[in-house]
Amino acid sequence: MKPTVLLYQSLPEALYKKLSSFADIKQFDTLSLDSNDFCSALANASGLLGAGGNIDKNFIDHAPHLKAVSTVSVGYDNVDVNALTKRNIKLMHTPTVLTDTVADTMMALVLAVSRRIPELADNIKQGLWVKGITPDWYGTDVHHKTMGILGMGRIGKALAQRAYFGFNMNILYHSRTEYTDVNDRFDAKYCDLDMLLQQSDFVCITLPLTPETHHLISKNQFSMMKPDAYLINAGRGAVVDEKALINALEQKDIAGAGLDVFETEPLSPSSPLLSMKNVVAVPHIGSATKETRYAMAECAVDNLIAALSDNVKENCVNF
Ligand code: NAP
């Protein structure tokens, strides 16, 4: 008998077919314990596949037959991993396939905010380009500046590669571990957080959200940054204390921010961040290309099939 899989995001047709040849699929738009249909599907499900949602102990208690959760993401801060592990439920994720795309997004944010691309492109559209540009439209150079990378994991390394080889940038980094291959390859310097904040022109966050990283960047940390430095965040929104960020931008403690992630998503249209010219905000598009989203979905389907077949070789978070 086929296992039952609860799917809570759409899949490309070929991947849906692949999964349905292995499992009976019950599809929903979101995870909602308020719906009786959803709860009865969850009560029978062996597998769960989708992205986001709050997969906490209460949710897992509604799934007595669950054997594997396959998230279409590398981050899993929305999942109570301990609760899954206690129940022997595997958590599968999709690292690697999205690394380069997220690093590209971060480099795009670096360039967009420092060279003021969205703001100046908007000026043309508004008919404000009526003569030669004046210094108040000048941006700030990226090449040969110092990039401080917070979190030297897969994405941090891919970002360092772009910044060092593409833009001749100096690389500082902070993570729990010092990596001699990173030091050698990018002529990078491992340092503590304070030094990274004090010396970087671009502070780039590629950290996961954990109890240790929650609000790691707050008022004190902004006060250590250079007034002409930029904050780039594509890790998780809550690594940064957003109120402190807004305050730092208003007080001109820092020059600007490039943000892919926010404490609450979707970001409220009334957020002060959206009325600041020196903020480039994008709607969590780090991995959002056609190619990479397909690769992530494919990886998640393969992960779930492997986990439900007791044939896991990679991409398992907790076993
Ligand atoms: P990864 O390879 O696991 O790298 C995470 C890095 O963070 C590691 O270098 C790790 O240090 C460091 N780190 C973790 N906790 C730390 C702490 N308390 N203090 C200092 N450093 C710490 O993960 P990845 O694939 O690069 O992804 C990183 C994160 O990016 C994900 O967890 C996710 O939240 C986010 N992300 C966002 C998007 C997007 O669309 N914006 C897409 C993908 C991922 P060690 O090296 O010492 O272990």
Side-chain angles (χ1 to χ4, degrees), residues 50-66:
N54 183 21
I55 303 178
D56 59 10
K57 182 171 180 313
N58 177 43
F59 181 91
I60 296 159
D61 285 345
H62 284 74
H65 301 294
L66 200 60

Side-chain angles (χ1 to χ4, degrees), residues 241-267:
D241 176 346
E242 209 162 276
K243 278 196 185 126
L245 169 63
I246 291 166
N247 195 46
L249 289 162
E250 283 171 349
Q251 301 301 315
K252 300 198 185 327
D253 292 338
I254 63 171
L259 306 170
D260 184 43
V261 289
F262 305 88
E263 285 210 68
T264 303
E265 296 181 2
L267 180 65

Side-chain angles (χ1 to χ4, degrees), residues 74-75 77 98-99 102 151-156 174-177 179 206-210 212-213 234-236 260-261 284-287:
V74 60
D77 44 278
L98 47 61
T99 299
V102 180
M152 190 47 86
R154 289 171 289 255
I155 297 169
H174 176 70
S175 53
R176 294 168 300 195
T177 317
Y179 294 98
T206 71
L207 290 170
L209 178 61
T210 65
E212 294 75 37
T213 65
R236 281 290 181 265
D260 184 43
V261 289
H284 203 143
I285 57 163
S287 64

Side-chain angles (χ1 to χ4, degrees), residues 3-20 23-32 37-38 41-42 44-52 55 59 66 68-72 296-298 300-302 304 308:
T4 300
V5 163
L6 199 154
L7 180 66
Y8 65 103
Q9 76 160 46
S10 59
L11 285 178
E13 200 182 333
L15 298 179
Y16 188 95
K17 268 192 188 159
K18 185 176 193 178
L19 186 59
S20 62
D24 287 326
I25 300 176
K26 304 277 180 217
Q27 188 156 8
F28 293 85
D29 292 338
T30 51
L31 301 178
S32 171
D37 282 355
F38 181 87
L42 183 60
N44 291 316
S46 309
L48 186 68
L49 190 150
I55 303 178
F59 181 91
L66 200 60
V69 172
S70 179
T71 179
V72 193
M296 288 166 70
E298 186 170 39
V301 167
D302 290 344
L304 187 59
L308 293 179

Side-chain angles (χ1 to χ4, degrees), residues 138-297:
Y138 291 172
T140 304
D141 273 332
V142 170
H143 64 85
H144 294 95
K145 294 285 180 68
T146 296
M147 177 180 280
I149 302 179
L150 203 35
M152 190 47 86
R154 289 171 289 255
I155 297 169
K157 286 172 190 151
L159 180 61
Q161 180 181 328
R162 283 152 178 76
Y164 179 72
F165 292 111
F167 294 85
N168 289 304
M169 297 181 86
N170 305 311
I171 307 294
L172 297 177
Y173 71 99
H174 176 70
S175 53
R176 294 168 300 195
T177 317
E178 178 172 8
Y179 294 98
T180 49
D181 60 324
V182 167
N183 300 350
D184 294 347
R185 191 147 173 246
F186 309 123
D187 200 14
K189 189 167 177 182
Y190 179 71
C191 62
D192 63 23
L193 178 58
D194 291 3
M195 182 174 158
L196 182 142
L197 294 167
Q198 286 156 3
Q199 297 194 1
S200 300
D201 300 302
F202 296 89
V203 172
C204 297
I205 300 173
T206 71
L207 290 170
L209 178 61
T210 65
E212 294 75 37
T213 65
H214 182 264
H215 283 196
L216 187 67
I217 304 300
S218 191
K219 188 170 187 266
N220 275 345
Q221 288 66 40
F222 286 118
S223 72
M224 286 183 222
M225 286 175 65
K226 301 198 238 181
D228 54 358
Y230 295 88
L231 180 85
I232 309 297
N233 189 7
R236 281 290 181 265
V239 173
V240 175
D241 176 346
E242 209 162 276
K243 278 196 185 126
L245 169 63
I246 291 166
N247 195 46
L249 289 162
E250 283 171 349
Q251 301 301 315
K252 300 198 185 327
D253 292 338
I254 63 171
L259 306 170
D260 184 43
V261 289
F262 305 88
E263 285 210 68
T264 303
E265 296 181 2
L267 180 65
S268 163
S270 64
S271 167
L273 291 169
L274 297 179
S275 53
M276 295 179 179
K277 284 189 174 174
N278 54 348
V279 171
V280 176
V282 291
H284 203 143
I285 57 163
S287 64
T289 63
K290 287 175 235 153
E291 299 91 336
T292 293
R293 284 293 169 88
Y294 189 95
M296 288 166 70

Side-chain angles (χ1 to χ4, degrees), residues 108-165:
L109 286 171
V110 165
L111 289 163
V113 71
S114 63
R115 298 299 306 273
R116 303 169 59 180
I117 304 293
E119 179 196 351
L120 299 177
D122 203 46
N123 282 1
I124 294 193
K125 286 184 182 165
Q126 289 184 38
L128 298 177
W129 188 25
V130 288
K131 51 182 181 178
I133 70 159
T134 46
D136 56 322
W137 283 18
Y138 291 172
T140 304
D141 273 332
V142 170
H143 64 85
H144 294 95
K145 294 285 180 68
T146 296
M147 177 180 280
I149 302 179
L150 203 35
M152 190 47 86
R154 289 171 289 255
I155 297 169
K157 286 172 190 151
L159 180 61
Q161 180 181 328
R162 283 152 178 76
Y164 179 72
F165 292 111

